[in-house]
Each structure stands twice: as C-alpha cells, then as structure tokens.
Amino acid sequence: GGKFPLVVSTWPFLEAVRAAWRSVDSGFSAVDAVVEGCSACEEPRCDGTVGPGGSPDENGETTIDAMIMNGVTMEVGAVAAMRYVSDGIRAARLVMQHTEHTMLVGEQASIFAISMGLPGPTNLSSEESREKWINWKKSKCQPNFRKNVMPIDDCGPYSLESILSFGERTCLSTKRAGLDQSGPYHVDRHNHDTISMAVIDKMGHIAVGTSTNGATFKIPGRVGDGPIAGSSAYADTEAGACGATGDGDIMMRFLPCYQVVESMRLGMEPKLAAQDAIARIARKYPNFVGAIFAVNKNGIHAGACHGWTFQYSVRSPDMDDVVVYTVVPE
Ligand code: SD4
C-alpha cells in the first residue's frame, strides 16, 4: 500500500496512536482520527498528565488545555484552562465546528462544552493529583513558577474570595523581593507531558490536536502552549504538520510548530526543520526542555529535542503496529 494514512504522536502513547489509526484506516477523516486518538489518551490519563486527575495547579485543581486544527480549512478550535470537563479534545472540536471563535477559556469554556453535550461538571481531581498537591504544600510549595518574589510559608490558595475579603492575607510581595533573597525557583520540567498528534488521512488531508493538563503547580489561570495553534501543533495540508511538547511557557514565545511547517513549505527536510525550530529556542533559553516532531505532506517524519530524550510514535500502512522513535538532543 501507499504511505497513507499516517499517525504521528508525541511520546509512546501507543493506545492513542492505535485508536487514531483504527479511525483513519477505516476511512474516517484526519480530524475524526485526531479526536479519537487524543481522547484515548484523556480517558486513561496518559502519563497522569493528560485528561482528568493530572498535574494540579497551585490550588490543587486540574484544568485542561486542548486544541485541534484542520489543515485543509485552517480552522482551529481550542479550550484553555478549562475546568470541570475532562474531554479536552472534544471540547476543542466543538469550538471549531460549532462556533465562529477559535478559543474559549476557563469556566466559560466548561459551560460551553457542557451546553454542547459533553459530560460535566466533574471533579478533575484524583487521589493522585490530591496527594501530589499535598506533598507539594508540605515541601513549602517548591518548585513553583513564581520568580522575583518573597517566598512565603503558607502559599495560597490565592482565591478571589480571599483577595476580596481585604482581611489579613498571605500573598507574595514583589516590593519585598530581592534577587538575593529568592531567585527563580528550580522547576522540574520532567513532570508534565502532552499528547500532540498529527494525522494524514487517505485523502492526504492533515489535522493535528493537542491535549494536556499543562504544567504541574502552575499559577491558576496559566495557559500554556497546548491550546495555541502554531505552538503545540500546526497543520497545513499543503506543507505538513508538527507537534510539540515541553516547556510551554518558553516554547509559545517562538511558535515552533508554525516555524517547522513554514520551513517545510520552503522545501526543508522535516529533520532539519525540527532541529532549526528547536535551535532557535535553545539559543535564547539554553536550559529549556522541549521536543518537536515534524511530518511533511509526503509522510516523511523526524524529531528534534533539547534538554531531554524525546520519543514519538508512528503508525503507517507498512507497519504491523505502532513504532516508537527515540530522538536524543543534538
Ligand atoms: C505545557 N507543553 O503546558 C505543556 C506541557 C508539556 O511535556 O508538554 N510537557 O507547558
């Protein structure tokens, strides 16, 4: 057979790739297959960081960032910091297919998703996420994502209620801050993973999708690269597709997946395109951790990474099952 259909995904998320493959191989569209694939990661909570019950924020809450992009029409749907609804990719698809918008955020994204028939409201916390959060509080909330502020013993919760009560309140003071007192906290970049998936269907149409809980112990309200088209993923049937994972706060400043797809459009090989996008980030942020896969419209794929070893998964007609590729930093 030919090289299509094709499924490519970050990490060895085998069940997700198999689910997307079953869908696209039986004739469904790239968009349908991306939804099936990412959902198959959300339900069993791949790596504990996709779907419900993963990476808690500073207040112990799990939220969801997700997006989907149709590389034929260039339509995008995304939800950011969505609460109480576990179906990130399905919510993103509803935004794409049933609104004129591109992104909905927070509780309003949840209300939209539920109004469109997705299950909820549900508590997105799990035994695991609660335990993780409690241990973090015990460790005086380190590592965390705040910088240049005085550390405090009792961190948060920084709820609107506590801020509006104007009473005695614990908060971080920038006035008292000094770099000698508290530098940026160390953040373990290895505790958050994302599914980002690209599918090329039998028609040669390309779609991509991403779903993640974002970064562990993020500041509530933080939106990562996950729901940003061009950052965590990008697709253009005329050129190819890209998926990313890693330190979203840094990566979203570079739109690396847009970069990769545009490089491939100009004729760059996927490997070089991926390496170039990663290198652009690494030049400014030598300590960032991240990875990218690139696949061109002919189905040639490659990966590049910085700061960690990356794995991505592929399923195509010439394979009996998913094949996992390992990429080491340059
Ligand atoms: C984020 N990019 O929210 C995601 C997390 C991730 O591997 O991909 N971790 O920053």
Side-chain angles (χ1 to χ4, degrees), residues 181-192:
Q181 292 161 313
S182 68
Y185 299 115
H186 168 73
V187 172
D188 176 8
R189 303 291 185 189
H190 296 260
N191 61 5
H192 49 93

Side-chain angles (χ1 to χ4, degrees), residues 27-48:
F28 285 93
S29 71
V31 166
D32 286 327
V34 162
V35 172
E36 290 311 313
C38 292
S39 291
C41 222
E42 289 166 350
E43 283 154 27
R45 306 198 290 113
C46 279
D47 267 16

Side-chain angles (χ1 to χ4, degrees), residues 51-113:
S55 324
D57 67 16
E58 276 189 350
N59 292 344
E61 183 177 359
T62 296
T63 58
I64 291 186
D65 284 352
M67 73 130 227
I68 188 162
M69 179 169 193
N70 179 333
V72 177
T73 60
M74 304 309 274
E75 291 169 298
V76 173
V79 291
M82 182 172 67
R83 314 174 77 178
Y84 319 129
V85 175
S86 57
D87 301 276
I89 197 72
R90 289 187 199 280
R93 182 195 198 150
L94 287 167
V95 173
M96 180 171 80
Q97 296 191 329
H98 298 284
T99 81
E100 300 287 347
H101 299 311
T102 292
M103 186 188 297
L104 297 178
V105 306
E107 251 153 58
Q108 287 113 329
S110 325
I111 292 166
F112 169 76

